[in-house]
Amino acid sequence: METITSSGQGDQNYDVVVVGNGALGQSLALTLARRGHRVAMVGRPNRPWAASAAAGAMLGCFGEITESLVASEYGRLKLNLDVHAARMWPSWAAQLAEESGGEDVRTAEGTVVILNTIGVPGIDDVNYAAIQAELRRHDEPFSDVDPADLEWLDPDPGARPLKAFHIPNEHAVNAAALLDQLHVAFVRAGGTVLPELATRVDYAHGRARGVVLESGSLVRGEHVVLAAGVRSQDLLATVPDVAATVPPLVSGYGVSALVRTGDGTAPGSVIRTPNRAFACGLHVVPRGQGEVYVGATNIISTDPVETAVIRDLDFLLDCAGAQVRRNLHNSGLHRVQVGNRPVALDGFPLLGEAGLSGLWMMTGTYRDGLHLSPLLAGEMARRILGEEPEFELDAFRPVRAPIQAATREEIVEGAVVHQLATGYECDWKVPINWPSLIEAQLRPAYLKLADDIDPTFTPPPELLDAARLQPTLVKMLRDYYAASRVSA
């Protein structure tokens, strides 16, 4: 891989310093370098804690839709960005391949969404219907298919799909190959790679001036962009007055696996369920030459996670074997991957200038960062350079009041349904009347927890649920809501 690095000696001066070398950070750095600006991209080559490196990289604009997403104005704004980003990918990928000398990074032809007997009607059925409704609304082609006609699909009979449909324009890419192409293209465009961590933002008199690296070097820039995923929080914390006005970031820790199938086969398309149980849906993504990507879990954690938890890996592989293809259990486990999705405490992205002149944030995108990278790279570049924006991002500006996309009662109800769904997804064996008894206990417990956190604001369902067992998260939420009232 081509690289240009700094010696780390003395001060260095750039037009823009981009902190983060995942899909978002590299895409923005490349976009700016293409236009002749002096750009430094900061980040360790192994990308610790990153989401991009462990991503299935489904370009899942529609496959990721949930009923709760499209029920709010903010969710619909985010979906609009996803739709436009999906249309950019063919030309974006082609230009990347040309500039880097690489091959097409696409690994899947379309996506098959299955509705099987594992989920619950209140999540799987409604999300399946919500995906189709939005496909129709956007005039996006899709077609119902008989699950029996999906040759590679071979689930356990107890987990067989009831229905399925195919989205021909919803592909996937090889995340590792994409990151390599971005790196090479950035270097060839004249960009500078600084392969170490940034430890703090340097600022004075209301303006960001650069970042300090772990080696002690100061890297100066007219603009500083925090695009380091969940680690952006550590850097923002070095500017306390600004940090108090921005929704803090936590990790949506996830485990995925690269599997070499025992029979050397792979599906031609992505196979996935709708999103379910506090997480993305189960998905299997072809990676070529008899290898598939299996993903992914999603667990909220206040700190990034570096090592896969055995429980999560067992759950993931059991789900894939039971719900997609039984002989995956006879396959080789090539690699276990861990990623940390950046999740703002109100559940929405952090995009735009962040409280200091010249300080920008480009994170908090949760599961959509890689998919959104072509659009956000262009849009953030335009804003940094003082040009006319093309897309609506102001709703997601970092300095904001907490976004409340649903009522407390709706959020609590969502948490209850999703928590019960985890039991069915784990194939629990309980007496037939127990789920209703558990539900009756969960609802007042979640409501009391929400009341204890704040009298008005309520975090998204997965954060509310995670707060039950994480006192640190409860404190973060309380402090965030209290600070938002002071800044207002």
Side-chain angles (χ1 to χ4, degrees):
M1 184 188 303
E2 300 177 38
T3 187
I4 297 174
T5 61
S6 164
S7 65
Q9 301 297 316
D11 294 351
Q12 305 152 63
N13 295 278
Y14 300 91
D15 298 324
V16 184
V17 178
V18 178
V19 183
N21 58 355
L24 281 175
Q26 289 205 96
S27 297
L28 174 61
L30 172 59
T31 299
L32 291 165
R34 281 171 175 167
R35 299 183 60 177
H37 296 281
R38 295 172 301 147
V39 184
M41 183 172 63
V42 180
R44 287 181 182 168
N46 65 333
R47 299 183 180 88
W49 316 295
S52 300
M58 297 178 292
L59 306 183
C61 167
F62 292 98
E64 291 288 310
I65 286 173
T66 64
E67 183 187 49
S68 61
L69 176 75
V70 297
S72 77
E73 173 191 358
Y74 294 100
R76 292 190 295 272
L77 279 172
K78 187 165 171 289
L79 175 59
N80 182 61
L81 297 176
D82 286 332
V83 171
H84 281 90
R87 294 167 182 164
M88 293 178 176
W89 265 97
S91 59
W92 175 259
Q95 186 175 1
L96 266 182
E98 180 181 349
E99 292 175 344
S100 65
E103 298 179 351
D104 186 356
V105 294
R106 189 164 66 184
T107 66
E109 291 293 336
T111 291
V112 171
V113 181
I114 60 173
L115 177 65
N116 63 23
T117 57
I118 299 301
V120 299
I123 300 176
D124 289 59
D125 288 31
V126 298
N127 288 345
Y128 188 92
I131 295 169
Q132 291 194 336
E134 290 302 314
L135 285 163
R136 293 188 185 99
R137 191 168 75 86
H138 289 274
D139 294 321
E140 187 69 24
F142 74 97
S143 57
D144 292 324
V145 296
D146 186 338
D149 294 335
L150 300 172
E151 293 183 2
W152 201 81
L153 187 69
D154 181 32
D156 180 87
R160 63 191 182 277
L162 308 171
K163 296 190 276 187
F165 63 89
H166 179 244
I167 310 174
N169 295 333
E170 196 129 291
H171 308 300
V173 298
N174 184 320
L178 174 70
L179 293 173
D180 285 348
Q181 287 190 6
L182 285 166
H183 179 100
V184 172
F186 173 64
V187 171
R188 290 184 176 180
T192 300
V193 176
L194 303 176
E196 53 180 307
L197 290 180
T199 58
R200 67 178 174 87
V201 176
D202 181 68
Y203 64 99
H205 311 299
R207 180 169 188 84
R209 303 188 304 182
V211 296
V212 176
L213 305 182
E214 56 189 338
S215 62
S217 296
L218 173 63
V219 183
R220 295 187 180 275
E222 290 295 312
H223 299 273
V224 175
V225 184
L226 304 185
V230 69
R231 247 213 101 244
S232 301
Q233 182 63 36
D234 295 338
L235 291 164
L236 189 65
T238 66
V239 193
D241 291 345
V242 172
T245 67
V246 176
L249 290 162
V250 294
S251 167
Y253 144 72
V255 174
S256 61
L258 291 179
V259 173
R260 289 176 176 163
T261 59
D263 56 10
T265 65
S269 66
V270 174
I271 299 175
R272 64 164 300 158
T273 69
N275 282 355
R276 52 160 62 148
F278 296 126
C280 45
L282 173 68
H283 48 277
V284 174
V285 183
R287 281 289 177 87
Q289 298 181 334
E291 185 168 86
V292 295
Y293 171 102
V294 179
T297 61
N298 184 63
I299 298 173
I300 298 297
S301 172
T302 54
D303 296 309
V305 176
E306 295 186 49
T307 305
V309 177
I310 292 174
R311 173 200 62 221
D312 300 329
L313 181 61
D314 281 348
F315 168 74
L316 176 66
L317 295 178
D318 281 347
C319 285
Q323 298 180 49
V324 179
R325 189 169 175 85
R326 285 177 286 183
N327 79 355
L328 283 177
H329 284 296
N330 299 320
S331 301
L333 185 58
H334 176 51
R335 183 180 304 153
V336 176
Q337 303 175 128
V338 175
N340 291 273
R341 307 172 186 91
V343 186
L345 287 191
D346 62 5
F348 287 94
L350 305 174
L351 304 170
E353 200 161 22
L356 286 179
S357 179
L359 180 64
W360 303 79
M361 295 190 74
M362 187 184 184
T363 184
T365 46
Y366 209 167
R367 291 187 283 265
D368 293 350
L370 188 146
H371 173 75
L372 284 169
S373 55
L375 182 146
L376 291 183
E379 189 60 27
M380 290 291 290
R382 282 187 284 274
R383 290 168 183 257
I384 289 167
L385 300 175
E387 299 172 355
E388 188 69 24
E390 291 185 9
F391 296 97
E392 171 56 50
L393 298 185
D394 288 347
F396 305 128
R397 60 187 181 273
V399 178
R400 66 186 185 224
I403 293 175
Q404 192 75 55
T407 67
R408 174 160 294 183
E409 291 72 21
E410 289 169 338
I411 292 169
V412 166
E413 194 61 31
V416 171
V417 174
H418 279 261
Q419 184 58 254
L420 288 172
T422 62
Y424 291 107
E425 198 171 0
C426 292
D427 195 27
W428 65 356
K429 305 296 182 185
V430 296
I432 197 69
N433 63 320
W434 276 29
S436 60
L437 296 175
I438 294 170
E439 180 179 350
Q441 296 296 317
L442 282 175
R443 191 170 287 107
Y446 280 128
L447 189 58
K448 182 180 185 304
L449 176 59
D451 290 340
D452 288 345
I453 290 172
D454 190 84
T456 304
F457 296 117
T458 312
E462 62 267 47
L463 275 82
L464 180 63
D465 177 72
R468 292 181 306 120
L469 302 176
Q470 297 187 46
T472 304
L473 180 55
V474 171
K475 184 177 186 308
M476 284 182 70
L477 288 163
R478 286 173 175 163
D479 291 348
Y480 164 50
Y481 294 141
S484 70
R485 289 191 170 87
V486 171
S487 61

